[in-house]
Amino acid sequence: MSGWLLPGAAAAFWAGLIAWTAAGPTAPVTVWLVAGVGTLLAGAAAAPRVRSGPGSLEGAGLLGERRPAALTVVAPEQRLPGLGPPALAVALVCAGMFMLGVGWGGVHDHRVAGDVLRRLGPRGVELVATLRTDPSPGQFGWYAVADVSEVRWSSGALAIREPVWVQSGDDPPSAVRGDRVLLRGSLGDPDDPGFARSLRRRGIPAEIRVARFEWLGPSEGLVLHAAQDFRRFVGRTIRRLFPSREAGLLMGLALGDDSRLDPGVARDFQATGLGHLLVVSGENVAMVLAPVLCLAALIRLRRVPRLLLGLGTVVFFVVLTGAEPSVMRAGVMAGLTLAGVFLGRPRTTGSILAGAVLILVVLDPTLVWAIGFQLSVAATAGMVVLATPLAERLRFLPRPIALAAGTTLAAQLGVSPILLYHFHEVPAVTLLANVLAFPAVSPALLLGLLAGVLGIASLPVGRAVAALALLPMRYLELLADRLARAPVPWITSRGGLGVLVGGGAAVVGLVWWLRSRRRLPRPAVVVAFVLLPAVVWSGALAAGPPSGLVIHFFDVGQGDAALVTTPDGANVLIDAGPDPVEVATKLSALGVKRIDLAVATHPHADHVEGFPAIFARFPTSLVLDPGCDEPSPSYTEFLQAVREEDLPVRRPRAGETLAVGDLRIDVLAPRACAHGNDSDPNNDSLILRLTYREDVVLFPGDAEEPSQQVLLDDRVSLGAEVLKVPHHGGATSLVDFFNAVDPRLAIVSVGPNDYGHPVPEILAELRATGSRVLRTDRRGDVTVTFAPEGLLVQSGR
């Protein structure tokens, strides 16, 4: 029972921190803290006590005070009963830790609410800060997190220690985490209330929209400055020895540094469940710490210097890799392990994990909301409790393979409920991918780092070792690329608390069954195999060629994405929304295995952002793109993904016709790329009229009045039963255009926005044609099926 005490206490404290944020204050903070301390004291009183008693010879009076050393005996432990059964003590300790967690969450919440930066906004300010994260490119400009040391405004200045979210519309600067910077701009809350709540959960009270960025210099801290220099030095050395693609991969494998990671490689690793290899974890810490401790043993350092050297190495590595949640967890676990060995009191891995978690969430309560920390803890916990039992069940395999498969499956079972809750999907190919990747990861990492070290002394020797390291690295790249598009279904969900709780309960039940070594009754096994696919692949099981033409208009927020499926099994995807992975997830949930035609109607991010992940996962036969240049990060990444996947591309013009099976696609626009105004990209939109037998759908992209007027002047046949409303229902369409289409159903793909979309007048004009109007922001995903009895409409809300 005592073996579960520390893990139970850590879990209870974590739950208390979440309870305060989720439920709000139900009692004053001091009440929770006092009640927690009192309950812990009650648990301590109820717990059995261990006392060292006299040895048997000494207790019999056969040894005096001066006894021979040879007869010195170890006193046996005597367990004295507590005030209650052991289970009561554990329950009281967990209850007390829960109350303390609630109270500690309240303390943290009050601190964030009273932060200076939160009270100062909205106003123009000047911040002196240190970058906590590297500036990362976003949809518009760049973003980062910085720790502010001084804030100045028109009537005052203060020295503070508070974090801030940094947002800028400019190109990302060359600064890196740890650099000191000067930020001038507008301080306040983010426009999106949901994002503002997310920032406060992370302990970030405000956002600054930067108008001017100035680099002040590297970090003034000795350790952080040394880590910056070492990181730059390692990066330069690796880039001298390896091609850029492999250099970026090695930096990811060794240091968790994805700043130079090829986007295509990153997508392939994520799509196969290998993304964890690009995040620093306990394996990286062990690989760094082991040779240092071996060196200490060779030079015969004494215990205290050896401990200090090990702890110093761990601290430096944590700082070097940016103190990400996963590496902090691994670093604290390594520190506790070293301390336990030094004191002669080693502990189980489960207790060390629980102790590390408890220390970290006490120091930083916001970690309970950090997805990276959740996944790191869950994966480690899964390996602790499940790796050995699973490997034993796989004893029909060779021992190394059984261990690798057991460890991989254990970690995956640990993280799957969290992945399904946050991201709504888990790649089913991940077990195979990780088992096949296992033999190559360590050689790629060790040979790569060895090449970097040798390259310092001799460039030719370093390049020779680098050539060997390229073999496992390119094997990993090839493996991820091939398995990313393997015809293996994804485990998908709609998210929600039920998925997290139900999935967690299922994993706990599995742990109990495997560790108890009991055999399940045969009927239970049969029921599990029958029900499991129905639960995890419910959408995919319903997939397959429909009886009529079906269009899925996806709810992607302020953007467009629609999937057209024909009775002969053809899949045509028109636009991919503004989120990098949302549409790919929706396609997986529908059981889609391939894309016959992918259409990017125009280059704007809210239409093309999701395509790279789709191309990485799904074999795609042909891509349509208007081919009108529009410089933007999203469109550049789209074109790069097309090149990396070696996809055929066509840039059709008005009057061309394509066929996908029995589906006819008429290209109505553009004739040529538009020039002369800010709406050129919208008026460059591919306008497609899809016909399947007697069923017609019109997709005009974001075409505005000039493009629509050209179609009307040319008397192009526009009639369609279903219309995807142009430009999210903005005030950029002609009444005559709607009258010419004369749709029975009009779908407005729209989400929260600052543009006023959809405009009420446009909706009224659509309804005046006799059309039924549906909005994805109110109805969710809208599925339209052409049936003999008419249009059948289903929606997610």
Side-chain angles (χ1 to χ4, degrees), residues 419-495:
L419 292 173
L420 291 172
Y421 173 74
H422 287 295
F423 306 112
H424 308 169
E425 61 180 2
V426 174
V429 76
T430 184
L431 178 60
L432 176 62
N434 277 276
V435 170
L436 293 177
F438 175 76
V441 175
S442 293
L445 179 57
L446 294 176
L447 286 173
L449 293 179
L450 180 61
V453 172
L454 295 176
I456 299 171
S458 171
L459 193 59
V461 174
R463 283 178 174 163
V465 178
L468 293 176
L470 285 175
L471 297 176
M473 292 171 70
R474 286 180 173 162
Y475 166 77
L476 289 172
E477 292 173 350
L478 181 64
L479 178 70
D481 179 66
R482 293 295 181 265
L483 291 184
R485 287 174 289 173
V488 178
W490 285 56
I491 302 171
T492 59
S493 80
R494 294 186 179 182

Side-chain angles (χ1 to χ4, degrees), residues 123-156:
R123 74 174 71 199
V125 296
E126 184 176 87
L127 305 178
V128 178
T130 299
L131 290 176
R132 184 188 296 183
T133 63
D134 293 335
S136 301
Q139 188 170 339
F140 304 103
W142 61 273
Y143 62 89
V145 177
D147 293 306
V148 181
S149 58
E150 184 180 357
V151 55
R152 307 165 188 158
W153 63 99
S154 58
S155 58

Side-chain angles (χ1 to χ4, degrees), residues 313-651:
T313 301
V314 171
V315 170
F316 183 77
F317 187 72
V318 169
V319 173
L320 177 67
T321 54
E324 292 294 327
S326 60
V327 74
M328 285 196 298
R329 188 271 311 156
V332 175
M333 285 187 68
L336 291 176
T337 302
L338 289 172
V341 173
F342 173 77
L343 296 173
R345 297 178 64 90
R347 289 291 184 262
T348 64
T349 308
S351 295
I352 292 172
L353 171 63
V357 169
L358 195 53
I359 291 170
L360 288 170
V361 297
V362 167
L363 294 175
D364 184 4
T366 65
L367 284 174
V368 300
W369 299 104
I371 298 176
F373 188 67
Q374 295 172 5
L375 293 173
S376 176
V377 172
T380 307
M383 289 187 287
V384 167
V385 298
L386 280 174
T388 300
L390 285 170
E392 291 175 353
R393 298 287 177 130
L394 299 173
R395 56 182 175 271
F396 57 89
L397 296 173
R399 181 68 176 169
I401 297 178
L403 288 173
T407 303
T408 298
L409 185 55
Q412 191 62 51
L413 286 170
V415 302
S416 288
I418 299 173
L419 292 173
L420 291 172
Y421 173 74
H422 287 295
F423 306 112
H424 308 169
E425 61 180 2
V426 174
V429 76
T430 184
L431 178 60
L432 176 62
N434 277 276
V435 170
L436 293 177
F438 175 76
V441 175
S442 293
L445 179 57
L446 294 176
L447 286 173
L449 293 179
L450 180 61
V453 172
L454 295 176
I456 299 171
S458 171
L459 193 59
V461 174
R463 283 178 174 163
V465 178
L468 293 176
L470 285 175
L471 297 176
M473 292 171 70
R474 286 180 173 162
Y475 166 77
L476 289 172
E477 292 173 350
L478 181 64
L479 178 70
D481 179 66
R482 293 295 181 265
L483 291 184
R485 287 174 289 173
V488 178
W490 285 56
I491 302 171
T492 59
S493 80
R494 294 186 179 182
L497 190 60
V499 170
L500 183 62
V501 175
V507 172
V508 170
L510 182 63
V511 170
W512 171 82
W513 171 57
L514 287 173
R515 294 183 71 87
S516 67
R517 300 178 182 273
R518 298 187 181 184
R519 295 179 62 87
L520 283 180
R522 190 177 299 274
V525 176
V526 173
V527 170
F529 274 97
V530 170
L531 292 182
L532 183 62
V535 172
V536 299
W537 293 310
S538 56
L541 289 173
S547 57
L549 185 66
V550 175
I551 305 100
H552 299 274
F553 293 94
F554 296 129
D555 175 20
V556 294
Q558 183 68 8
D560 276 10
L563 176 70
V564 180
T565 303
T566 68
D568 52 358
N571 293 311
V572 176
L573 181 66
I574 301 177
D575 289 328
D579 186 271
V581 297
E582 184 178 12
V583 174
T585 300
K586 290 177 182 287
L587 294 175
S588 296
L590 290 172
V592 173
K593 299 295 188 300
R594 73 179 193 284
I595 302 296
D596 298 288
L597 178 65
V599 180
T601 58
H602 64 292
H604 281 164
D606 58 332
H607 293 252
V608 302
E609 187 75 23
F611 273 121
I614 291 167
F615 295 153
R617 292 192 196 179
F618 302 96
T620 302
S621 301
L622 178 65
V623 177
L624 296 189
D625 168 30
C628 300
D629 188 32
E630 171 65 17
S632 73
S634 297
Y635 187 57
T636 300
E637 189 172 354
F638 162 79
L639 295 176
Q640 181 180 350
V642 169
R643 289 192 297 269
E644 287 179 349
E645 302 298 339
D646 196 24
L647 301 179
V649 182
R650 284 184 61 178
R651 298 182 168 87

Side-chain angles (χ1 to χ4, degrees), residues 535-761:
V535 172
V536 299
W537 293 310
S538 56
L541 289 173
S547 57
L549 185 66
V550 175
I551 305 100
H552 299 274
F553 293 94
F554 296 129
D555 175 20
V556 294
Q558 183 68 8
D560 276 10
L563 176 70
V564 180
T565 303
T566 68
D568 52 358
N571 293 311
V572 176
L573 181 66
I574 301 177
D575 289 328
D579 186 271
V581 297
E582 184 178 12
V583 174
T585 300
K586 290 177 182 287
L587 294 175
S588 296
L590 290 172
V592 173
K593 299 295 188 300
R594 73 179 193 284
I595 302 296
D596 298 288
L597 178 65
V599 180
T601 58
H602 64 292
H604 281 164
D606 58 332
H607 293 252
V608 302
E609 187 75 23
F611 273 121
I614 291 167
F615 295 153
R617 292 192 196 179
F618 302 96
T620 302
S621 301
L622 178 65
V623 177
L624 296 189
D625 168 30
C628 300
D629 188 32
E630 171 65 17
S632 73
S634 297
Y635 187 57
T636 300
E637 189 172 354
F638 162 79
L639 295 176
Q640 181 180 350
V642 169
R643 289 192 297 269
E644 287 179 349
E645 302 298 339
D646 196 24
L647 301 179
V649 182
R650 284 184 61 178
R651 298 182 168 87
R653 290 293 175 257
E656 296 187 34
T657 299
L658 298 89
V660 180
D662 291 333
L663 181 69
R664 174 189 172 100
I665 302 175
D666 292 303
V667 181
L668 308 185
R671 290 179 176 175
C673 296
H675 297 285
N677 61 68
D678 292 337
S679 294
D680 285 348
N682 287 342
N683 287 315
D684 288 336
S685 290
L686 286 170
I687 301 180
L688 306 178
R689 188 170 184 262
L690 279 61
T691 305
Y692 184 81
R693 298 175 183 169
E694 304 299 323
D695 306 324
V696 183
V697 187
L698 185 65
F699 286 92
D702 278 359
E704 298 183 5
E705 289 140 327
S707 181
Q708 296 173 17
Q709 188 62 55
V710 170
L711 298 178
L712 295 172
D713 292 343
D714 291 348
R715 300 182 181 277
V716 173
S717 177
L718 297 173
E721 294 171 88
V722 178
L723 168 68
K724 199 289 297 181
V725 178
H727 201 197
H728 321 291
T732 53
S733 289
L734 300 170
V735 176
D736 290 343
F737 177 78
F738 293 148
N739 290 331
V741 179
D742 191 23
R744 293 169 55 193
L745 179 66
I747 306 296
V748 184
S749 185
V750 67
N753 64 88
D754 297 327
Y755 311 113
H757 296 165
V759 176
E761 292 79 7

Side-chain angles (χ1 to χ4, degrees), residues 64-304:
E65 292 183 2
R66 298 173 61 86
R67 54 189 179 275
L71 294 178
T72 300
V73 292
V74 178
E77 292 182 342
Q78 297 180 358
R79 184 171 295 274
L80 301 180
L83 299 180
L88 175 63
V90 172
L92 287 173
V93 169
C94 290
M97 293 300 294
F98 175 82
M99 295 175 191
L100 287 176
V102 174
W104 194 242
V107 170
H108 172 75
D109 197 39
H110 290 319
R111 185 195 65 76
V112 174
D115 277 350
V116 171
L117 295 179
R118 181 173 173 80
R119 290 185 279 115
L120 274 178
R123 74 174 71 199
V125 296
E126 184 176 87
L127 305 178
V128 178
T130 299
L131 290 176
R132 184 188 296 183
T133 63
D134 293 335
S136 301
Q139 188 170 339
F140 304 103
W142 61 273
Y143 62 89
V145 177
D147 293 306
V148 181
S149 58
E150 184 180 357
V151 55
R152 307 165 188 158
W153 63 99
S154 58
S155 58
L158 277 175
I160 60 173
R161 293 184 63 183
E162 296 176 7
V164 70
W165 180 264
V166 184
Q167 187 75 49
S168 172
D170 298 327
D171 293 332
S174 58
V176 297
R177 59 176 177 252
D179 285 349
R180 294 179 299 112
V181 296
L182 183 68
L183 308 170
R184 294 188 181 95
S186 176
L187 184 72
D189 287 333
D191 294 333
D192 183 356
F195 183 58
R197 286 193 298 272
S198 174
L199 288 183
R200 283 196 289 274
R201 283 182 175 179
R202 296 169 57 184
I204 301 175
E207 171 191 74
I208 182 170
R209 296 186 176 181
V210 176
R212 181 182 174 187
F213 176 93
E214 183 178 339
W215 185 76
L216 299 179
S219 172
E220 294 178 336
L222 179 61
V223 175
L224 187 54
H225 186 63
Q228 284 182 306
D229 290 341
F230 184 79
R231 187 182 178 207
R232 280 191 289 265
F233 176 71
V234 169
R236 284 197 302 267
T237 303
I238 289 175
R239 289 193 294 275
R240 289 171 61 197
L241 298 172
F242 292 91
S244 59
R245 187 181 178 95
E246 284 69 34
L249 176 59
L250 180 57
M251 290 293 289
L253 291 172
L255 301 178
D257 182 356
D258 60 359
S259 59
R260 296 181 180 272
L261 186 63
D262 182 85
V265 172
R267 287 190 295 268
D268 289 340
F269 272 61
Q270 294 296 335
T272 51
L274 296 175
H276 66 92
L277 298 178
L278 306 176
V279 178
V280 177
S281 63
E283 182 180 5
N284 301 73
V285 175
M287 286 185 178
V288 171
L289 189 57
V292 172
L293 294 180
C294 287
L295 178 62
L298 287 174
I299 62 176
R300 298 187 177 182
L301 282 182
R302 302 180 72 85
R303 290 177 66 202
V304 173

